[in-house]
Amino acid sequence: MRIDKFLANMGVGTRTEVKNLLKKGLVTLNDEKIKSAKLQMNPEQDRVCVGGQQIDYEPYVYLMLNKPAGVISATEDDVHQTVIDLIEEYDHLDLFPVGRLDKDTEGLLLITNDGDFNHRIMSPHKYVTKRYYAELAHPVREDAVETFEQGIRLTEGLLQPAQLEILVPNNHARVTICEGKYHQVKRMFHAVDNEVVYLKRDAIGPLELDHRLKTGEYRKLTNSEINLFKNH
Ligand code: URA
């Protein structure tokens, strides 16, 4: 890998900032000062320091994205912009989204290159909850709370119990589910004679969307956020 790419991917700075650090002679590779941004290095073996501080190679990346509407949850697509297209760094890593949100759904989407992490969150046996904020075409009927709790029957079978909280105004609601069937929340509301007009995921298990992230923005998960899913 090129040294400038390694340093940018490890979050030291943009490619331009990294080039300036190299020019200033602040970067060493195995204790030798280097200036060329094109120099090839091995991230697993070489020791890189910037201003004397060692830059550790992190093979796995864990990002929280506030997904905007209009972008699809896939790694590549010939026509549409994908959530991976929104990520500017880490292009040497095979990043993918953890599960899917519909094209028009916004909110919390995790992005990683760690297959085990993906499995711990997505496996139906792990029962990791997903919480959504929904705006509906009509007021939500009070009896929908019990219908959701008892499990709605879709063509695939009976859903797990889901929690429905009717908000104010009463065409706004919060729904917590522990599966990820195709268009699940939209179809659940359809089953109680309503229609979702806006949907946003705001939590996955104990992890809440960071409300400082505007739609389209992302940040790395902290170690304690990553560890929330380690014992699942
Ligand atoms: N349920 C839906 O209907 N859409 C989503 O994007 C996520 C859950």
Side-chain angles (χ1 to χ4, degrees):
M1 191 190 304
R2 278 172 57 139
I3 184 75
D4 60 343
K5 187 169 184 178
F6 169 81
L7 290 171
N9 286 349
M10 292 307 118
V12 171
T14 61
R15 284 280 183 102
T16 315
E17 286 163 353
V18 163
K19 274 198 185 96
N20 285 333
L21 292 170
L22 283 153
K23 260 195 217 148
K24 285 185 192 153
L26 288 169
V27 181
T28 58
L29 178 68
N30 301 325
D31 301 322
E32 276 188 41
K33 199 182 282 183
I34 52 167
K35 295 214 163 179
S36 165
K38 289 189 197 147
L39 197 86
Q40 291 288 329
M41 51 83 68
N42 181 338
E44 313 235 358
Q45 286 172 7
D46 290 331
R47 200 173 101 86
V48 179
C49 294
V50 176
Q53 214 185 350
Q54 186 164 334
I55 308 299
D56 291 325
Y57 177 52
E58 294 174 44
Y60 291 122
V61 168
Y62 307 90
L63 304 172
M64 144 182 324
L65 167 72
N66 185 355
K67 178 191 171 298
V71 175
I72 61 168
S73 301
T75 49
E76 44 192 331
D77 191 272
D78 290 340
V79 181
H80 300 104
Q81 191 181 31
T82 73
V83 289
I84 303 301
D85 294 333
L86 299 175
I87 312 298
E88 285 172 359
E89 312 90 352
Y90 316 107
D91 48 354
H92 69 295
L93 301 174
D94 292 326
L95 295 181
F96 57 85
V98 176
R100 283 168 192 274
L101 291 176
D102 294 339
K103 188 173 168 201
D104 57 355
T105 302
E106 297 185 352
L108 177 58
L109 187 68
L110 296 175
I111 293 186
T112 187
N113 57 341
D114 181 346
D116 286 343
F117 181 78
N118 176 63
H119 178 74
R120 286 197 293 276
I121 294 172
M122 291 314 296
S123 165
H125 307 294
K126 309 278 181 184
Y127 296 102
V128 176
T129 57
K130 282 101 190 166
R131 194 181 73 208
Y132 294 86
Y133 163 76
E135 293 179 6
L136 292 309
H138 313 289
V140 184
R141 291 199 319 250
E142 298 278 341
D143 63 350
V145 174
E146 203 182 324
T147 311
F148 275 37
E149 182 60 47
Q150 283 171 352
I152 287 177
R153 186 165 291 283
L154 298 181
T155 41
E156 299 94 321
L158 193 64
L159 294 176
Q160 296 285 337
Q163 280 71 55
L164 170 63
E165 188 189 345
I166 304 172
L167 303 173
V168 179
N170 63 0
N171 66 330
H172 293 189
R174 193 165 284 125
V175 189
T176 305
I177 60 176
C178 60
E179 295 147 293
K181 304 264 188 270
Y182 182 65
H183 292 335
Q184 182 167 334
V185 173
K186 291 173 184 164
R187 290 159 75 205
M188 289 168 74
F189 278 107
H190 189 75
V192 292
D193 306 318
N194 215 327
E195 296 304 325
V196 170
V197 294
Y198 173 79
L199 192 62
K200 177 177 185 170
R201 181 158 67 190
D202 53 20
I204 297 175
L207 178 67
E208 305 255 346
L209 176 66
D210 184 335
H211 293 288
R212 288 167 301 186
L213 291 176
K214 300 195 186 95
T215 49
E217 289 185 345
Y218 58 91
R219 68 158 171 82
K220 279 173 116 173
L221 294 189
T222 62
N223 284 339
S224 54
E225 287 171 335
I226 296 165
N227 287 334
L228 290 173
F229 299 101
K230 283 274 150 84
N231 297 323
H232 271 83

